[in-house]
Amino acid sequence: MLRKIFALTSIAVLAVIATGSASAAAVPDGVTYHHHRPGAGSPCEGLAGCTFVQLKGDPLKGPSEAMFTLKAGTPFSPHWHTSPEHVVGVSGTMLWHVKGKKKTYRVGAGDFLYYPSKAVHWGKCAPGADCTYYVFDEQPYDFHEATR
């Protein structure tokens, strides 16, 4: 069910991007530009206080890139993806946990976090400022709920 909802959301986001009414736009020479506007984007499936903009790729078919924004204090529950994930902080500070690691990863502007395929992860946007971060998935996007 989650995958179906995400698929519908992704299609809607890609349609917005294609029409140029979102903040990311591809131009004929292959350049993609995204001007970040807090609060812009589509709601994240199943997570109040979260929005995202699909930047490149089709998350249902292969590699993709997206920008996510979480409201300050918003948590996200334990889950995993088939794809390894590459995360770069843009603004705010995310408090990220990866199962089996005792460290809390503080991902702020310019910080990079990578975790392998099927790594269970969870966390929250630290209080005080909304968090924006970029995610690159090497493989098609999927979402699997998990426990800590």
Side-chain angles (χ1 to χ4, degrees):
M1 179 66 166
L2 291 174
R3 181 179 278 178
K4 185 175 183 180
I5 293 170
F6 180 79
L8 294 173
T9 302
S10 297
I11 291 168
V13 169
L14 291 172
V16 168
I17 291 171
T19 62
S21 53
S23 57
V27 293
D29 66 0
V31 173
T32 299
Y33 173 75
H34 170 71
H35 176 74
H36 177 68
R37 291 188 306 252
S42 297
C44 300
E45 174 226 334
L47 182 57
C50 175
T51 58
F52 77 100
V53 173
Q54 194 66 44
L55 300 172
K56 287 192 74 179
D58 182 343
L60 301 176
K61 295 181 180 177
S64 64
E65 300 171 69
M67 191 82 73
F68 291 84
T69 300
L70 290 179
K71 296 269 185 214
T74 300
F76 62 95
S77 61
H79 65 281
W80 60 271
H81 311 282
T82 300
S83 178
E85 286 197 319
H86 307 252
V87 179
V88 177
V90 175
S91 65
T93 302
M94 292 290 293
L95 305 175
W96 222 285
H97 303 276
V98 179
K99 189 172 187 172
K101 308 295 180 193
K102 294 184 184 220
K103 180 176 181 156
T104 297
Y105 299 96
R106 297 180 62 84
V107 180
D111 293 335
F112 173 78
L113 176 65
Y114 167 88
Y115 39 89
S117 171
K118 300 181 182 176
V120 174
H121 55 283
W122 67 95
K124 73 176 191 174
C125 175
D130 292 351
C131 297
T132 299
Y133 57 99
Y134 161 91
V135 176
F136 169 69
D137 286 305
E138 297 177 19
Q139 300 171 15
Y141 180 87
D142 57 11
F143 180 94
H144 304 274
E145 293 182 19
T147 59
R148 293 183 193 181

